[in-house]
Amino acid sequence: MGKLTDKVTKMEAEITSASMADIAFLLIIFFMVTTVFSATKGLDFKLPSDDQTPPTTEREEAVFFKVLEDGSFLMDGRPAVREDIIPYLAPKLERWPEKPIILYARRQAPYKAMVAVYDELQKTTLPPERGGLGLSKLPNISIPTNREIQQYIALFGVNPFEDR
Amino acid sequence: MAFIKRSKAIPANIPTASMADIAFLLIIFFMVTTKFDVDRTRVKLPKSTVRNEVPKGSAYVVVAKDTAGLFSYKFSDGEKMSRPVADVTLLEAEVNAVAARDPGKPFVIKAEADTPYEDIDTALDILRQAGVENVVLLTEQRTVNDVD
């Protein structure tokens, strides 16, 4: 018969962490499936407060953009392209940063054309190396809504934005 | 003396302790860079150069083209998934309810690039009358090669 020795098997003190990875990967997959990358970006659009007296803009002094149904637009009555906007506005805004800009889109004009013009107007605040004018604040843009236009028509009988 | 082959058995295992660290790092990355999408409507967005981050929890007004080519509105209060709204009056009611509960609520207009402007105008007018001031027009990045 052999000797009876006190043989204690040494247990290593450890916390089992193998399942940790499983849990973690489960969570990763959950987040990957249920979420999207924060690619949601857009143009800031400040709505004026809804007061009953809309700010009156002297038509003659304002730069007037009219977006047409085919996606083109008129800048102060003349057909223009996107690239023309910044050079056209630069001297005017330099002289008077508060210069009003009216952006009027016809009812059937495509939304993207209006956004393209609005984007150029927003670009004025970008630094010059990014194609902007480096303005510290946005120019004074007003976008007449259809309700306002209807009010004008009721008042004057004509749409004041269509005659130029 | 006899040489006994005493190969010391090395347990065959892959160290998995760092696995959890890597995984948690990834989890945190996903948690920070992603947000829950309240609207999954597929929409061809207009393009713009200037793009700012949409505030978290914004309410959504979606103008999407259905299979018949008609434009219709969808609405989400920023928490629940977006649901179609049958007409403009219902949209107005939804917007008013959200704006009354949280006056500073940011809104997002997510609309098909080809939407006639009058539909956007209607939505903007509703938001304006509800007293909403912060609106973001959701856009896609314009690249140099984009012509329109």
Side-chain angles (χ1 to χ4, degrees):
Chain A
M1 264 194 48
K3 264 195 285 174
L4 274 175
T5 37
D6 211 13
K7 248 185 158 178
V8 178
T9 34
K10 255 197 185 151
M11 284 271 273
E12 258 182 78
E14 62 166 347
I15 299 161
T16 46
S17 58
S19 59
M20 195 89 142
D22 300 352
I23 298 162
F25 276 109
L26 186 89
L27 281 170
I28 290 176
I29 289 162
F30 170 75
F31 275 105
M32 280 172 74
V33 170
T34 57
T35 64
V36 286
F37 275 92
S38 56
T40 47
K41 284 187 177 180
L43 278 167
D44 280 344
F45 194 92
K46 288 271 176 289
L47 284 176
S49 52
D50 186 40
D51 48 1
Q52 287 308 307
T53 49
T56 44
T57 313
E58 287 299 319
R59 277 174 50 192
E60 286 69 28
E61 289 175 351
V63 181
F64 183 68
F65 290 95
K66 180 154 86 180
V67 183
L68 306 177
E69 286 85 351
D70 60 355
S72 66
F73 67 92
L74 305 178
M75 182 164 64
D76 278 342
R78 279 184 302 277
V81 290
R82 230 165 16 91
E83 288 75 17
D84 300 338
I85 298 177
I86 296 269
Y88 183 77
L89 288 178
K92 294 176 188 292
L93 288 172
E94 202 174 302
R95 223 175 314 125
W96 186 27
E98 295 289 299
K99 189 162 187 73
I101 296 167
I102 300 173
L103 172 54
Y104 165 69
R106 280 201 178 151
R107 294 169 64 104
Q108 291 299 319
Y111 173 51
K112 62 179 171 191
M114 180 269 176
V115 167
V117 176
Y118 189 69
D119 180 38
E120 289 298 313
L121 301 179
Q122 296 264 317
K123 259 167 84 174
T124 53
T125 53
L126 291 183
E129 59 268 23
R130 286 183 60 201
L133 298 173
L135 297 183
S136 54
K137 73 189 267 288
L138 266 182
N140 184 7
I141 308 166
S142 48
I143 300 169
T145 66
N146 189 36
R147 193 163 55 99
E148 283 167 359
I149 293 164
Q150 294 309 321
Q151 283 169 6
Y152 283 126
I153 293 174
L155 251 115
F156 308 116
V158 286
N159 182 346
F161 300 105
E162 280 299 337
D163 61 351
R164 52 180 197 158
Chain B
M1 249 167 99
F3 283 99
I4 308 161
K5 238 187 181 173
R6 274 177 67 188
S7 60
K8 207 175 175 190
I10 298 167
N13 63 0
I14 299 161
T16 52
S18 59
M19 197 87 141
D21 299 352
I22 298 162
F24 276 110
L25 185 90
L26 280 169
I27 289 175
I28 289 162
F29 169 75
F30 276 107
M31 280 172 74
V32 170
T33 56
T34 63
K35 60 179 103 172
F36 286 91
D37 213 5
V38 289
D39 181 76
R40 300 257 178 91
T41 322
R42 269 180 182 274
V43 157
K44 191 178 164 291
L45 293 170
K47 293 186 169 71
S48 77
T49 319
V50 181
R51 287 169 86 229
N52 297 313
E53 201 72 47
V54 169
K56 265 193 174 182
S58 299
Y60 273 66
V61 176
V62 183
V63 188
K65 206 178 349 190
D66 60 18
T67 42
L70 292 168
F71 291 96
S72 58
Y73 292 108
K74 276 185 170 184
F75 182 78
S76 162
D77 60 0
E79 284 146 32
K80 289 195 272 305
M81 288 298 285
S82 63
R83 275 173 294 114
V85 278
D87 60 25
V88 175
T89 6
L90 286 173
L91 178 69
E92 198 168 359
E94 297 255 31
V95 168
N96 285 339
V98 170
R101 204 166 54 217
D102 181 1
K105 186 93 171 171
F107 274 73
V108 172
I109 301 260
K110 177 178 173 182
E112 190 79 30
D114 293 323
T115 320
Y117 184 68
E118 61 177 330
D119 292 337
I120 310 294
D121 183 80
T122 309
L124 287 174
D125 202 38
I126 288 170
L127 294 179
R128 189 175 155 178
Q129 287 188 67
V132 176
E133 280 179 11
N134 282 325
V135 176
V136 178
L137 306 177
L138 208 64
T139 57
E140 230 167 73
Q141 184 66 53
R142 181 187 286 281
T143 55
V144 186
N145 302 323
D146 288 325
V147 272
D148 71 313

